[in-house]
Amino acid sequence: HNSIFNKYKSSVVKNSIILSDDKQSDVMILLFPGYDKKPYSYKNLSQKIINKSGKKNTKINFMLVDYIFNVPFKGEIQSNIITDICLEHLKRNNFEYNKLYFMGHSAGGFFSIPLAKTYGDGFIQLGSVFNSGNILPWKSEKISKYNKPSLTVLGSKDGFTNHKLACYEKKDLI
C-alpha cells in the first residue's frame, strides 16, 4: 500500500501547477478543479487574479491541484490527502505565505468547503454553493455557521448548479 501511495503522492505534485516561482506571497490559493477538468483549465483565470492583485501590491500565488484521473474518486477523503500532499510540498520547497485560501470549482468547490474550514483562512467557490437550503443531493453546510470569509461566484449558464440557488444561501443569512 505504501508504494502505491508514494506513487500517487508524486503524481499529484508532478501534475499540479504552481503558477509563480516566487517563494513568498501574501496569499497562496489551492485550487481544486471541477469534475473532468485539468489544472491548466484554470491557468488563465488564476493568472489574471495574480496580475490584478499585483497592481494592488498583493502577491498571490496559486497551486492548481490535479486529482489524477480527472475526478475525485473518494471526494472528501481524497481531497484531504491531496491537501496534505500539497501543503507538505509547499513547505518542503520553502514557499511562504501569510494566508492560505481554498478555491474550488463545481465539485472541487464542494470538496473544498471542509478543507478551507480546517486548514484555510478563506474560501472561494465557483459554480458551487454551501447548500444551506439542503436542496441539493449532497451534504449541507450552513453559510451562516461557516467560520471563514467566503466568496461564491455563480453563473446563469452553469450546467448543474443554478445561479438561483444563491437565494437559499442569502435566506440562511437573514
Side-chain angles (χ1 to χ4, degrees):
H1 288 87
N2 216 11
S3 66
I4 292 170
F5 179 72
N6 286 334
K7 188 175 181 178
Y8 177 75
K9 188 175 170 178
S10 68
S11 293
V12 167
V13 170
K14 185 178 96 186
N15 295 320
S16 295
I17 301 167
I18 298 176
L19 289 185
S20 173
D21 293 331
D22 192 344
K23 301 282 185 172
Q24 296 205 325
S25 58
D26 298 308
V27 179
M28 174 61 76
I29 299 175
L30 293 184
L31 191 150
F32 282 77
Y35 278 127
D36 204 28
K37 299 288 183 206
K38 290 284 193 186
Y40 60 78
S41 303
Y42 302 88
K43 196 170 181 180
N44 271 349
L45 171 65
S46 301
Q47 196 60 57
K48 286 178 183 178
I49 292 169
I50 289 171
N51 294 343
K52 293 269 186 186
S53 64
K55 291 177 184 175
K56 303 285 184 186
N57 294 320
T58 301
K59 288 171 64 176
I60 293 179
N61 199 354
F62 278 85
M63 184 168 191
L64 310 177
V65 174
D66 190 349
Y67 288 111
I68 313 303
F69 314 121
N70 298 339
V71 293
F73 59 86
K74 283 285 190 183
E76 282 187 53
I77 295 168
Q78 184 185 10
S79 297
N80 272 301
I81 291 168
I82 289 172
T83 297
D84 289 341
I85 292 168
C86 291
L87 294 177
E88 177 187 309
H89 175 76
L90 292 170
K91 184 177 182 178
R92 189 176 52 252
N93 288 281
N94 301 315
F95 281 90
E96 295 180 14
Y97 43 88
N98 298 325
K99 294 188 183 247
L100 176 66
Y101 275 68
F102 284 78
M103 182 180 213
H105 171 232
S106 194
F110 170 71
F111 293 125
S112 297
I113 291 170
L115 299 172
K117 200 175 190 180
T118 303
Y119 299 99
D121 297 297
F123 176 57
I124 303 162
Q125 57 185 343
L126 310 168
S128 187
V129 293
F130 282 99
N131 196 21
S132 295
N134 204 22
I135 46 175
L136 295 169
W138 58 73
K139 187 167 67 177
S140 174
E141 175 80 42
K142 295 283 188 193
I143 192 172
S144 60
K145 302 212 183 316
Y146 197 73
N147 63 351
K148 302 289 181 176
S150 61
L151 171 66
T152 300
V153 180
L154 295 171
S156 61
K157 294 187 179 184
D158 187 283
F160 182 72
T161 306
N162 187 312
H163 66 285
K164 293 178 183 171
L165 290 172
C167 297
Y168 293 100
E169 305 300 311
K170 183 178 176 190
K171 202 175 188 181
D172 183 50
L173 292 171
I174 298 175

